[in-house]
């Protein structure tokens, strides 16, 4: 035993029990049972340690009450570790009755309550604790904390809230009060009830300016404010945290939330400065969270780039760019934004070309489900080439865009327009046969359209 050679010790006690039974000299038999169980517990043989401890408690005289209490507690833990919750609960209650001082009894009470709570028998767990929640002793506070934890597991936030407020009121001049106030905020935050969480954390911040949980309360108050869309409050809490506790474990998260809050306020200069600090002070975390890309976006906004374009570009990159279907879709929308804002035309053209190329497979077919976006990019590029007097390339792009609009069945009007523009571009390029074939296709597919009626006049011009 003293050398912690549990296996050899266990074998020795088993041998003693067997020998003492044969000789009927059982003076130390009960102690042998106790230590056998202890060895089995240390060897993580919980099934046998439970049996040894239970047998010991049933045979040991009351003169060994010190060992009986320990055996009850270890029997409870053995059953618990063996997932035998019913017997764990029974033995934990036995440990309460076998305790002969307050410290032992309190430990056994909390163990029993936790076991019944783990079993889902919340009312029974609460009943074990309730008699000890009265008064102003430290154990009354511990019992109330355990009771609040049971209510949390029941998802009874109202009862948990009431219990924590009882602790705050009854133990107002002790650390129990600030712990209870902070934990009250935590339960609401964990359940994403950010309004009540903010109330709790805000109260903590103002009541315990330099409390044990001040840094954490400021962080969670700032985060709750942000999630509620209260960006001014979020900025206030986060700047206070960074000023008072610059080296806390919450510094990185606070800087990140502050950057996002500034962004939502469209205070892009402050957001960029915060992002720069994050990248400088926390390079590895910043790289993992893409803060560097965010900084590039913010710097563009500071220099005057349109917010809608900046946000769409960030979404496009986050979705994987041209490598994913979602990325190509967002990129197509970004091209349309560039066009609508009439800014950065060459950037829009380069992006549209990159996306358009990625929307075709190795055999030259448009990827499934991307016909409409491919048509939009193709039409945009065709317009660009036509304005720059590359009529032949424009015509080819218009013709393909018309086909894709038609396949997608989302915009016959755009298909008509592209066929008309293709006919005009072929004619302008001197490709009269192609122009005639395209005009005939337009009249065949959309005979009632305005463009079908006027396409001949376009061809006559050339």
């Amino acid at each position: 035993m003293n050398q912690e050679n549990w296996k050899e010790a266990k074998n020795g006690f088993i041998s003693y029990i067997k020998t003492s039974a044969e000789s009927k000299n059982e003076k130390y038999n009960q102690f042998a049972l106790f230590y056998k169980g202890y060895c089995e517990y240390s060897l993580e043989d919980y099934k046998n340690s439970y049996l040894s401890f239970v047998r010991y408690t049933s045979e040991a005289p009351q003169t060994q009450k010190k060992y009986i209490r320990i055996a009850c507690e270890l029997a409870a833990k053995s059953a618990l570790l063996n997932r035998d919750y019913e017997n764990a609960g029974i033995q934990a209650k036995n440990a309460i009755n076998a305790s002969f001082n307050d410290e032992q009894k309190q430990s056994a009470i909390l163990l029993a309550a936790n076991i019944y709570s783990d079993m889902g028998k919340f009312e029974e767990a609460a009943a074990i604790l309730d008699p000890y929640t009265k008064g102003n002793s430290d154990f009354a506070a511990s019992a109330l904390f355990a009771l609040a934890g049971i209510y949390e597991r029941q998802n009874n936030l109202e009862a948990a809230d009431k219990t924590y407020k009882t602790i705050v009121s009854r133990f107002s001049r002790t650390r129990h009060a600030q712990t209870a106030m902070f934990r009250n905020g935590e339960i609401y935050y964990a359940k994403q009830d950010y309004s009540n969480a903010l109330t709790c954390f805000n109260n903590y911040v103002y009541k315990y300016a330099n409390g044990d949980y001040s840094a954490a309360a400021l962080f969670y108050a700032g985060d709750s404010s942000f999630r509620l869309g209260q960006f001014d409050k979020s900025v206030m809490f986060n700047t206070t945290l960074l000023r008072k506790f610059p080296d806390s474990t919450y510094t990185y998260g606070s800087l990140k939330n502050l950057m996002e809050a500034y962004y939502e306020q469209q205070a892009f200069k402050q957001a960029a400065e915060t992002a720069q600090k994050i990248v400088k002070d926390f390079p590895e975390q910043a790289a993992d969270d893409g803060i560097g890309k965010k900084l590039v976006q913010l710097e563009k906004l500071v220099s005057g780039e349109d917010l809608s374009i900046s946000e769409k570009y960030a979404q496009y990159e986050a979705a994987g760019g041209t490598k994913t279907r979602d990325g190509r879709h967002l990129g197509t929308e970004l091209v349309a934004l560039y066009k609508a804002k009439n800014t950065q035309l060459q950037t829009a053209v380069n992006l549209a070309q990159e996306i358009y190329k990625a929307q075709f497979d190795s055999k030259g077919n448009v990827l499934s489900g991307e016909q409409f976006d491919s048509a939009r990019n193709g039409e945009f590029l065709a317009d660009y080439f036509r304005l720059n007097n590359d009529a032949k390339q424009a015509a080819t792009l218009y013709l393909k865009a018309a086909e894709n609009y038609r396949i997608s069945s989302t915009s016959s009007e755009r298909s008509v327009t592209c066929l008309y523009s293709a006919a005009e571009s072929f004619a302008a390029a001197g490709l009269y046969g192609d122009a005639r074939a395209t005009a005939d296709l337009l009249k065949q597919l959309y005979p009632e359209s305005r463009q079908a009626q006027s396409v001949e006049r376009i061809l006559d011009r050339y």
Side-chain angles (χ1 to χ4, degrees):
M1 285 285 291
N2 291 339
Q3 294 175 8
E4 297 187 0
N5 186 342
W6 307 117
K7 185 175 180 181
E8 289 301 316
K10 180 191 76 168
N11 291 337
F13 290 122
I14 290 172
S15 178
Y16 174 84
I17 293 167
K18 182 180 178 183
T19 303
S20 65
E22 291 172 352
S23 65
K24 297 186 179 180
N25 181 14
E26 300 180 354
K27 183 178 178 180
Y28 300 107
N29 201 47
Q30 288 84 16
F31 283 122
L33 271 172
F34 175 86
Y35 286 114
K36 172 179 173 287
Y38 194 90
C39 292
E40 289 162 341
Y41 185 85
S42 300
L43 289 165
E44 300 181 8
D45 182 2
Y46 301 119
K47 182 177 179 180
N48 282 318
S49 67
Y50 170 78
L51 293 172
S52 295
F53 286 129
V54 170
R55 182 181 168 190
Y56 168 76
T57 58
S58 68
E59 295 181 5
Q62 282 302 306
T63 54
Q64 297 179 16
K65 59 183 181 180
K66 174 184 175 181
Y67 293 92
I68 292 172
R69 185 204 63 81
I70 297 171
C72 289
E73 185 173 319
L74 291 178
K77 291 179 178 178
S78 295
L80 189 63
L81 290 164
N82 206 37
R83 298 185 180 181
D84 182 358
Y85 299 111
E86 289 291 342
N87 282 318
I90 292 169
Q91 294 302 320
K93 283 185 175 180
N94 288 342
I96 297 173
N97 297 328
S99 299
F100 51 91
N101 63 43
D102 288 343
E103 184 180 350
Q104 293 171 1
K105 188 171 185 178
Q106 290 164 8
S107 174
I109 288 164
L110 294 176
L111 175 62
N114 284 331
I115 288 172
Y116 280 99
S117 179
D118 288 343
M119 291 166 65
K121 294 185 176 182
F122 300 115
E123 291 184 6
E124 195 162 348
I128 292 171
L129 292 167
D130 188 63
Y132 308 98
T133 59
K134 314 300 187 289
N136 299 311
S137 67
D138 279 347
F139 185 65
S142 297
L144 283 165
F145 275 117
L147 187 60
I150 289 169
Y151 290 137
E152 286 181 48
R153 295 186 70 172
Q154 282 183 289
N155 204 29
N156 187 347
L157 299 191
E158 184 178 348
D161 176 273
K162 184 178 179 181
T163 306
Y164 281 128
K165 285 176 178 173
T166 297
I167 299 171
V168 171
S169 174
R170 195 186 303 171
F171 300 90
S172 58
R173 296 186 179 182
T174 70
R175 288 191 171 184
H176 294 311
Q178 58 169 301
T179 301
M181 189 176 288
F182 180 75
R183 285 195 187 175
N184 209 13
E186 282 187 310
I187 64 171
Y188 285 117
Y189 184 87
K191 298 296 182 182
Q192 300 182 1
D193 183 349
Y194 299 116
S195 181
N196 277 317
L198 177 57
T199 299
C200 294
F201 290 129
N202 188 54
N203 288 342
Y204 183 97
V205 166
Y206 284 99
K207 189 164 184 177
Y208 304 105
N210 295 299
D212 296 342
Y213 306 97
S214 290
L218 282 165
F219 174 78
Y220 288 114
D223 194 58
S224 297
S225 300
F226 182 85
R227 293 170 187 273
L228 291 167
Q230 298 176 17
F231 304 120
D232 288 344
K233 281 188 177 181
S234 185
V235 168
M236 179 192 71
F237 285 121
N238 282 298
T239 52
T240 302
L241 169 58
L242 293 166
R243 175 174 51 79
K244 289 185 69 175
F245 306 100
D247 300 316
S248 78
T249 56
Y250 299 96
T251 299
Y252 176 78
S254 186
L255 283 168
K256 189 178 174 185
N257 281 354
L258 184 60
M259 176 192 71
E260 296 291 353
Y262 279 139
Y263 180 85
E264 294 296 336
Q265 290 179 318
Q266 297 192 20
F268 301 126
K269 185 174 185 294
Q270 292 93 323
E273 289 170 352
T274 307
Q276 286 171 345
K277 181 171 178 57
I278 295 172
V279 170
K280 178 185 175 184
D281 295 349
F282 302 92
E284 291 184 7
Q285 288 170 280
D288 290 341
D289 289 340
I291 304 298
K293 291 181 179 179
K294 187 73 174 181
L295 177 57
V296 171
Q297 178 194 6
L298 288 165
E299 288 173 339
K300 288 179 180 178
L301 288 168
V302 171
S303 66
E305 183 173 87
D306 185 271
L307 176 59
S308 60
I309 288 176
S310 179
E311 289 184 334
K312 187 65 70 175
Y313 185 81
Q315 293 170 10
Y316 162 71
E317 279 206 322
T322 60
K323 295 179 181 178
T324 69
R325 179 174 175 175
D326 286 344
R328 292 189 291 272
H329 174 70
L330 289 164
T332 301
E333 292 185 341
L334 180 59
V335 170
L337 269 179
Y338 281 132
K339 180 182 178 183
K341 301 290 183 180
N342 198 28
T343 58
Q344 297 176 273
L345 178 60
Q346 191 56 53
T347 300
V349 170
N350 293 341
L351 179 60
Q353 286 179 317
E354 188 178 355
I355 296 169
Y356 189 73
K357 181 180 179 181
Q359 288 174 321
F360 289 82
D361 63 22
S362 58
K363 295 180 179 179
N365 300 313
V366 178
L367 299 174
S368 176
E370 297 195 39
Q371 285 82 5
F372 181 68
D373 282 344
S374 178
R376 292 171 69 191
N377 288 314
E379 183 181 11
F380 169 76
L381 291 169
D383 288 342
Y384 172 78
F385 287 120
R386 185 67 187 92
L387 285 170
N388 285 275
N389 297 316
D390 189 344
K392 180 179 179 181
Q393 189 164 356
T396 302
L397 287 165
Y398 278 132
L399 195 60
K400 190 65 178 177
E403 178 188 351
N404 284 321
Y405 276 131
R406 192 162 67 252
I407 293 171
S408 67
S409 303
T410 55
S411 182
S412 59
E413 183 180 342
R414 297 309 311 161
S415 180
V416 171
T417 300
C418 285
L419 280 171
Y420 181 84
S421 297
E424 187 277 334
S425 298
F426 276 130
L431 300 171
Y432 301 115
D434 290 324
R436 166 53 56 197
T438 304
D440 290 343
L441 180 61
L442 170 60
K443 289 188 284 184
Q444 176 188 342
L445 294 174
Y446 306 103
E448 305 299 324
S449 67
R450 174 177 53 81
Q451 290 88 338
Q453 306 298 322
S454 60
V455 70
E456 292 295 337
R457 291 195 297 273
I458 290 294
L459 297 184
D460 289 343
R461 284 202 316 218
Y462 295 97

